[in-house]
């Protein structure tokens, strides 16, 4: 049977809430040319009645990273920019676990009570985003379910039940399939959907297509990006499509398996977070091409332009050793260009060409290609880390005898150790050290596909031998459709805008009081200029969730500043007194002025990063 965990943890609506603020902190409505801070509007279930922790407070700014714009019109069939947009995002929690969110952003009418309170022109529209939130990387089923909800809402034919009843049934009743054992079938109105996850013995679940990655970057650029990620550089992806930023980020994280990305991971960074690019520690972030970065220092940042197949950086990325590079490049080319490569290969050695190459020569990109691409990179790791298990030494601080490993490789390849700069840097990364720690975990060791592949290769077996030879047909679990009390057959529910969920009396009273204060203030002083929010008044006017989101942004901001100051402090000359420096004084000020201790803990992180880098 399926586990008690659910695929859909929350359904959330974000957009223009009753407390309107511009992105720069100004309260109130300041015209349609201004961008506004997105807020939580609705969700199911309510945080107090859920099996899971509440959605992260920064979710609205992440799903609408450019902010909320106000429009005078809705959908123009001749203007693509007015069309609804569907895209995934990924958030990372403090413990490194990921939250997967499927989003649809669209223009929706602004509520009449907000229009009246803020004196916004009537018949105005604003950006709104509906989302499914999950800890399971079931990208496709999250997207399919969300798109069906959206279509049902705005279909002229309407839906057979109230929309929020359909949403609550899906969120409350669709279980997460047991890996490799279950297939869950469920319906949204008359649309049948299914979900299943691969066995634990297979490569980690990746419910995405790797085609966008190989379409955006040629083979050499793909290998260059892969190397930069493996060596834990600062990576900034640029694209004018949010979907592309997320899919490429996720794809490259899967291609470095069995290594895990250990650092800051923000596939879509909100527009006002551009300053985070200055962070001196490793990160992987994605930024919309339309956001200006002219004020940001890009020294050392690996900028990957996905629209123009371009990678720029001021620092050299050491190349992968020739033998492994040649293997990786050749195998990827065979997969991407089977018609051309297979013909040449047949002329050379027809007899040894695998059946798979012949089968894929006429196929368009599909799940088989995704699997083969991931297997190519796993085979790369099997080669470049050949014999690594013989050099694991828990008596050493790092748990690995790097010098002996490099010397052994030098003898095997007849290459000097000095020429192995890429490998030397790789085995010093946090990703590699984390992998060694996981090797000591019994469960990780049992499912270690890298070790299985190296052993299979040593026995002369096919790489496919590491996977189960037979997978039983999954058990079908059907989720019955909901029966809504009082629902009459043939009765259809139609909507002109995305409906609001039923509010509690407390929520309704709070909304009315907020809008009454706004309306009263605008009537009393109609010409009074908006007041910029400062520390005290801002904290009083924000809800607990908004305060939490503000704190998340403040934490990241303080840590970025501290990291930069710490690095500059380390670079002071021998004749300069660090205790009288600007850097030291600013660090002290950040720590002393911060009652919550964010500065102190952030400084400790800086020192820890430095210790790791010099060990």
């Amino acid at each position: 049977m399926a586990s008690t965990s659910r695929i859909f943890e929350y359904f959330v609506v974000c957009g223009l809430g009753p407390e309107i603020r511009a992105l720069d902190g100004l309260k109130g409505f300041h015209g349609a040319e201004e961008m506004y801070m997105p807020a939580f509007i609705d969700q199911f279930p309510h945080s107090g009645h859920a099996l899971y922790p509440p959605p992260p407070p920064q979710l609205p700014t992440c799903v609408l990273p450019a902010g909320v714009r106000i429009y005078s019109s809705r959908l123009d069939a001749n203007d693509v920019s007015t069309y609804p947009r569907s895209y995934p995002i990924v958030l990372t929690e403090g413990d490194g676990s990921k939250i997967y969110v499927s989003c649809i952003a669209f223009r929706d009418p602004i509520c009449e009570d907000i229009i009246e309170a803020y004196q916004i022109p009537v018949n105005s529209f604003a950006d709104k985003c509906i989302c499914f939130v999950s800890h399971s990387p079931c990208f496709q089923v999250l997207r399919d379910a969300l798109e069906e909800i959206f279509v049902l809402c705005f279909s002229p034919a309407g839906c057979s039940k109230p929309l929020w009843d359909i949403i609550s049934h899906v969120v409350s009743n669709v279980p997460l399939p047991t890996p490799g054992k279950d297939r869950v079938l469920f319906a949204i109105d008359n649309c049948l959907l299914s979900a299943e996850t691969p066995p634990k013995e297979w490569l980690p679940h990746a419910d995405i297509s790797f085609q966008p990655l190989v379409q955006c970057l040629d083979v050499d650029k793909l290998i260059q990006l892969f190397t930069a990620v493996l060596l834990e550089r600062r990576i900034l992806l640029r694209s004018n499509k949010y979907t592309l930023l997320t899919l490429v980020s996720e794809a490259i994280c899967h291609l470095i398996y069995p290594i895990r990305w250990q650092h800051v991971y923000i596939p879509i960074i909100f527009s006002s977070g551009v300053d985070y690019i200055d962070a001196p520690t490793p990160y992987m972030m994605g930024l919309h091409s339309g956001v200006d970065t002219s004020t940001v220092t890009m020294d050392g940042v690996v900028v990957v332009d996905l629209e123009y197949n371009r990678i720029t950086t001021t620092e050299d990325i050491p190349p992968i050793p020739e033998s492994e590079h040649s293997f990786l490049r050749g195998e990827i080319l065979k997969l991407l260009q089977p018609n051309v490569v297979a013909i040449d290969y047949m002329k050379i050695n027809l007899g040894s060409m695998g059946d798979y190459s012949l089968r894929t020569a006429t196929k368009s990109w599909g799940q088989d290609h995704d699997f083969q691409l991931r297997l190519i990179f796993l085979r790369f790791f099997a080669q470049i880390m050949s014999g690594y298990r013989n050099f694991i030494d828990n008596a050493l601080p790092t748990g690995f005898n790097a010098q002996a490993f490099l010397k052994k490789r030098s003898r095997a390849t007849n290459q000097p150790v000095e020429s192995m700069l890429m490998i030397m840097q790789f085995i010093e990364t946090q990703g590699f050290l984390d992998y060694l720690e996981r090797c000591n975990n019994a469960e990780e060791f049992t499912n270690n596909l890298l070790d299985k592949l190296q052993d299979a290769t040593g026995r002369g077996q096919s790489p496919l031998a590491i996977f189960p030879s037979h997978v039983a047909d999954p058990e079908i679990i059907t989720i019955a459709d909901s029966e809504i009390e009082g629902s009459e057959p043939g009765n259809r529910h139609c909507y002109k805008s995305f409906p609001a969920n039923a509010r509690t009396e407390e929520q309704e009273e709070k909304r009315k009081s907020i809008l009454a204060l706004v309306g009263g203030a605008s009537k009393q002083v109609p010409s009074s200029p908006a007041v910029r929010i400062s520390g005290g008044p801002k904290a009083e006017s924000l809800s607990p969730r908004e305060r939490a989101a503000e704190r998340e942004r403040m934490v990241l901001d303080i840590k970025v500043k501290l990291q930069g100051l710490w690095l500059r402090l380390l670079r002071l000359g021998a004749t300069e007194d660090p205790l009288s420096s600007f850097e030291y004084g600013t660090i002290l000020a950040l720590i002393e002025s911060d009652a919550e201790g964010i500065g102190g803990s952030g400084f400790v992180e800086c020192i820890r990063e430095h210790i790791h880098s010099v060990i």
Side-chain angles (χ1 to χ4, degrees), residues 402-436:
Q403 288 186 339
F405 175 76
L406 292 170
K407 286 181 181 178
K408 179 258 183 186
R409 180 181 170 88
S410 175
R411 290 193 298 270
T413 61
N414 201 26
Q415 296 291 326
V417 171
E418 294 75 20
S419 67
M420 303 176 192
L421 182 59
M422 180 267 170
I423 299 179
M424 292 168 67
Q425 290 187 10
F426 167 58
I427 59 181
E428 292 175 352
T429 61
Q430 288 190 33
F432 181 71
L433 297 178
D434 167 74
Y435 172 75
L436 294 178

Side-chain angles (χ1 to χ4, degrees), residues 178-180 196-206:
T178 304
E196 60 183 311
T197 57
K200 291 182 178 180
E201 297 81 11
W202 285 71
L203 290 165
H205 188 198

Side-chain angles (χ1 to χ4, degrees), residues 204-360:
H205 188 198
D207 192 21
I208 59 170
S209 171
F210 289 72
Q211 187 175 16
L213 173 63
V214 298
Q215 283 181 327
C216 291
L217 300 175
D218 62 38
V219 175
D220 294 318
K221 297 292 191 306
L222 170 58
I223 293 175
Q224 188 180 7
L225 171 59
F226 169 77
T227 308
V229 172
L230 203 58
L231 299 183
E232 298 180 345
R233 299 300 180 88
R234 293 184 292 156
I235 314 291
L236 181 66
L237 304 176
R238 302 298 305 270
S239 173
N240 59 17
K241 300 179 182 67
Y242 291 142
T243 298
L244 206 52
L245 293 173
T246 297
L247 292 183
V248 168
S249 299
E250 281 292 290
I252 205 71
C253 283
H254 281 290
L255 292 184
I256 64 172
Y257 173 85
I259 307 301
R260 293 177 182 170
W261 179 255
Q262 297 291 302
H263 304 278
V264 172
Y265 180 71
I266 313 176
I268 301 177
I269 193 167
F270 45 92
S271 303
S272 56
V274 172
D275 289 344
Y276 300 156
I277 297 171
D278 279 333
T281 50
Y283 59 71
M284 193 189 311
M285 298 193 294
L287 185 65
H288 194 278
S289 301
V291 179
D292 180 31
T293 57
S294 59
T295 60
V296 183
T297 304
M298 289 289 191
D299 287 348
V301 179
V302 180
V303 182
V304 184
D305 192 326
L306 299 174
E307 308 296 331
Y308 296 99
N309 183 34
R310 187 166 56 209
I311 297 180
T312 56
T313 181
T314 57
E315 294 182 359
D316 290 336
I317 302 172
I320 293 172
E322 177 57 35
S323 60
E324 285 85 0
H325 181 274
S326 177
F327 162 81
L328 194 57
R329 191 175 189 278
E331 290 298 309
I332 296 173
L333 280 174
K334 276 191 222 174
L335 183 65
L336 298 182
Q337 303 170 354
N339 290 303
V340 177
V341 176
I343 290 171
D344 290 341
Y345 193 62
M346 286 167 66
K347 291 178 182 176
I348 299 169
N349 191 348
L350 179 62
S352 65
M353 189 171 72
D355 291 338
Y356 185 81
S357 296
L358 289 171
R359 289 201 304 272
T360 57

Side-chain angles (χ1 to χ4, degrees), residues 1-65:
M1 280 294 293
S3 65
T4 54
S5 298
R6 297 171 185 165
I7 295 177
F8 308 98
E9 297 174 14
Y10 285 97
F11 182 89
V12 179
V13 184
C14 301
L16 202 66
E19 297 178 276
I20 297 181
R21 289 189 296 141
L23 288 182
D24 61 3
L26 289 173
K27 289 197 280 189
F29 172 67
H30 307 288
E33 66 281 351
E34 190 73 50
M35 298 295 290
Y36 296 91
M37 187 70 72
F40 285 98
I41 298 177
D42 271 318
Q43 73 176 56
F44 180 86
H46 297 299
S47 298
H49 301 85
L51 297 173
Y52 304 97
Q58 71 273 26
L59 182 67
T61 54
C62 294
V63 301
L64 290 169

Side-chain angles (χ1 to χ4, degrees), residues 440-504:
N440 294 324
N441 181 295
E443 184 177 351
E444 287 271 357
F445 187 78
T446 301
N447 294 321
N448 190 324
L449 291 180
L450 175 61
D451 289 356
K452 289 181 178 179
L453 179 57
Q454 289 182 336
D455 293 341
T457 303
R459 294 191 295 267
Q461 293 177 308
S462 163
L464 297 177
I466 67 175
F467 301 106
S469 57
H470 175 72
V471 178
D473 290 336
E475 177 186 351
I476 304 299
I477 298 176
T478 303
I479 306 304
D481 199 3
S482 61
E483 291 295 334
I484 307 298
E485 188 176 344
S487 175
E488 298 180 8
N491 189 26
R492 308 298 291 181
H493 299 265
C494 301
Y495 305 93
K496 292 183 178 179
S497 63
F498 201 89
N501 193 10
R503 302 187 187 100
T504 63

